[in-house]
Amino acid sequence: LPLFRKIVLLVLFCLTQSLSYYNGPSLYSALPSLDISMDMTESQSTWMVSAFQLTFASFLLISGRISDVYNPKNVLIGGVASLGITSLCAGFVVNEVPMIICRALMGIG
């Protein structure tokens, strides 16, 4: 591969990794206002944080195997697309349970 293409791919992979990294801290800063606006209990607030982490950790090995079986490029694009779509859906949710489900789906993506 030419050097320019390697650099572009490195930047894209770093941006993709940062999507996953910034997903958690962005929720931590928004959680107090989400608690108030959705009238959430403490356990629902805990599940809001834990849903992403649990599904992300659970599907990490499975996604590696899927990437081995199928084209890794398509798996990466599918994962980033599903993360983006579920993040968009979570932005329009007004209840606690669908928000927790969206957070869990983000972890799978």
Side-chain angles (χ1 to χ4, degrees):
L1 292 174
L3 180 62
F4 178 74
R5 185 171 176 178
K6 288 181 183 180
I7 292 173
V8 168
L9 287 174
L10 178 64
V11 169
L12 285 175
F13 291 146
C14 290
L15 288 174
T16 303
Q17 181 65 30
S18 69
L19 281 176
S20 169
Y21 176 74
Y22 290 121
N23 199 3
S26 65
L27 176 70
Y28 301 148
S29 63
L31 201 56
S33 61
L34 284 174
D35 285 344
I36 294 168
S37 67
M38 292 187 182
D39 195 30
M40 292 172 30
T41 63
E42 188 175 332
S43 64
Q44 289 171 331
S45 178
T46 302
W47 270 108
M48 182 89 63
V49 173
S50 299
F52 175 82
Q53 294 171 345
L54 287 172
T55 55
F56 181 79
S58 299
F59 282 87
L60 194 58
L61 290 175
I62 296 170
S63 64
R65 178 66 181 145
I66 290 172
S67 181
D68 288 341
V69 172
Y70 300 105
N71 186 359
K73 180 175 124 181
N74 294 338
V75 173
L76 177 69
I77 291 170
V80 171
S82 67
L83 179 67
I85 290 169
T86 53
S87 295
L88 184 66
C89 292
F92 291 105
V93 170
V94 293
N95 293 329
E96 311 86 30
V97 175
M99 178 66 91
I100 294 170
I101 292 171
C102 284
R103 290 288 299 169
L105 290 174
M106 281 186 229
I108 293 172

